[in-house]
Amino acid sequence: MDYLDHLEAEAIYILREVAGQFEKPALLFSGGKDSITLVHLAKKAFRPGKFPFPLVHIDTGHNFPETIVFRDSLIEEIGEKLIVGYVQESIDQGKVVEQKGKNASRNALQTVTLLDTISKHGFDACIGGARRDEEKARAKERIFSVRDEFGQWDPKRQRPELWSIFNGKINKGENVRVFPISNWTELDVWNYIKREQIALPSIYFSHEREVITRNGQLMAAAPFLNIDADDVIERKSVRFRTVGDMTCTAAVDSTATELDDIIAEIKASTVSERGARMDDKVSEAAMEERKKQGYF
């Protein structure tokens, strides 16, 4: 076994632990490479049977069109259930208020939609593709990350996970976020995608796109980006290292059209993939504060 075999075996073991310990788990699916990798791992863990959980996507309404097309194609291919929670519905119901201004984003608003979706369907565990190498707040996470009845994360309430023993016992109303690829790195994910020949949305590969430069980052020129006369729209060869709301996900200059090129870029990079996420730059503790409010 090489190191990818060990990482794969650990992730499959965790997915099966979720199926065994929880009554109503769900797999949170963003359409990004990490959640796509989780779907691939779930197929290895549970096929030829059906997944013991649905896929859940929180749709901000400001997603990359390529991501939504890929999501729908994947769901049709694997024949699993998809549940979509819409941020627009949370706005229409007055539960959240749309941000104003040039840097407005719906990314933070999706926390309320996620918690409502969890409550509506009674999910007691939500599987996600977060990894410890992404961001310093992620590094504090356990694989079974306990959330209280309000969906909030408290680092002091997390449990030890010695000898890969995971404790999924929770009180009524609480839920657990589960991270099967927590021990993987960005490079591990890409090497696994290459080995397993996993299909991805086209935005992960270099392509020409209209972009503007905002706060030092290349942002896809989309109508809801509040583009004004000061913004210069350019056409550049770019790709995205991470996928999120278009209003907070920056592109990188790139000519990498093949997996080997992407892997070489990552090896040479001195910036983490979340360095392209504007929402993480609000403050030093931006991610941790959002997690305490119920963010995934």
Side-chain angles (χ1 to χ4, degrees):
M1 295 177 68
D2 68 11
Y3 81 102
L4 289 177
D5 292 322
H6 284 285
L7 290 173
E8 178 188 75
E10 178 189 52
I12 289 172
Y13 166 69
I14 293 165
L15 287 169
R16 289 173 175 165
E17 281 291 299
V18 172
Q21 291 197 44
F22 298 97
E23 293 182 8
K24 291 198 70 177
L27 191 157
L28 298 185
F29 184 80
S30 68
K33 69 182 186 310
D34 299 314
S35 58
I36 292 168
T37 297
L38 284 179
V39 171
H40 183 81
L41 290 164
K43 288 195 287 186
K44 289 200 170 191
F46 303 113
R47 289 292 190 250
K50 298 282 285 183
F51 291 179
F53 40 70
L55 276 63
V56 174
H57 181 219
I58 303 303
D59 187 344
T60 66
H62 292 169
N63 298 288
F64 289 91
E66 298 95 326
T67 304
I68 300 300
V69 169
F70 185 91
R71 178 199 71 184
D72 294 342
S73 174
L74 179 63
I75 292 299
E76 183 177 357
E77 175 194 335
I78 65 177
E80 297 293 342
K81 181 179 180 181
L82 173 69
I83 295 170
V84 182
Y86 295 96
V87 170
Q88 185 62 53
E89 291 184 1
S90 298
I91 295 170
D92 294 342
Q93 294 165 5
K95 294 182 176 180
V96 293
V97 178
E98 186 107 52
Q99 294 181 359
K100 305 295 183 184
K102 193 163 185 173
N103 294 313
S105 173
R106 288 187 174 183
N107 193 61
L109 307 186
Q110 65 183 314
T111 296
V112 171
T113 310
L114 171 61
L115 295 178
D116 282 349
T117 303
I118 290 172
S119 177
K120 177 181 177 180
H121 296 277
F123 296 131
D124 53 1
C126 294
I127 303 161
R131 307 185 323 271
R132 290 194 179 109
D133 77 319
E134 287 181 277
E135 204 269 348
K136 57 190 177 184
R138 292 291 195 206
K140 299 178 182 179
E141 289 276 17
R142 300 290 193 266
I143 289 174
F144 273 31
S145 181
V146 180
R147 309 294 174 117
D148 64 21
E149 63 271 26
F150 303 106
Q152 297 174 328
W153 177 77
D154 181 353
K156 296 179 181 179
R157 294 187 63 232
Q158 302 310 305
R159 300 160 179 174
E161 294 178 335
L162 306 176
W163 306 292
S164 296
I165 297 174
F166 304 112
N167 179 4
K169 186 175 181 181
I170 55 175
N171 297 317
K172 185 175 177 60
E174 296 178 336
N175 67 82
V176 174
R177 310 293 168 86
V178 180
F179 305 117
I181 61 171
S182 186
N183 291 327
W184 299 37
T185 65
E186 181 188 13
L187 190 57
D188 294 335
V189 173
W190 279 106
N191 281 327
Y192 187 73
I193 287 168
K194 178 184 175 183
R195 188 185 83 170
E196 299 292 308
Q197 298 183 314
I198 299 172
L200 294 175
S202 59
I203 59 174
Y204 277 109
F205 301 89
S206 179
H207 59 286
E208 283 201 353
R209 193 183 205 106
E210 289 188 339
V211 297
I212 63 171
T213 300
R214 180 165 294 178
N215 302 320
Q217 301 268 35
L218 294 174
M219 307 295 293
F224 36 76
L225 213 60
N226 297 330
I227 297 173
D228 58 30
D230 294 331
D231 292 312
V232 178
I233 298 177
E234 304 174 90
R235 193 163 186 85
K236 291 198 170 200
S237 175
V238 299
R239 72 177 193 86
F240 294 85
R241 289 177 67 182
T242 180
V243 172
D245 190 299
M246 289 183 77
T247 56
C248 68
T249 305
V252 294
D253 276 303
S254 176
T255 57
T257 58
E258 303 291 338
L259 287 173
D260 286 336
D261 300 329
I262 291 173
I263 289 169
E265 271 191 3
I266 294 167
K267 286 180 177 179
S269 177
T270 58
V271 179
S272 76
E273 63 187 303
R274 296 228 32 130
R277 292 294 291 269
M278 303 294 287
D279 49 329
D280 288 347
K281 299 180 184 297
V282 176
S283 73
E284 280 288 315
M287 170 69 82
E288 186 154 339
E289 290 304 314
R290 291 201 307 278
K291 282 166 56 183
K292 288 179 179 178
Q293 294 166 10
Y295 184 80
F296 184 64

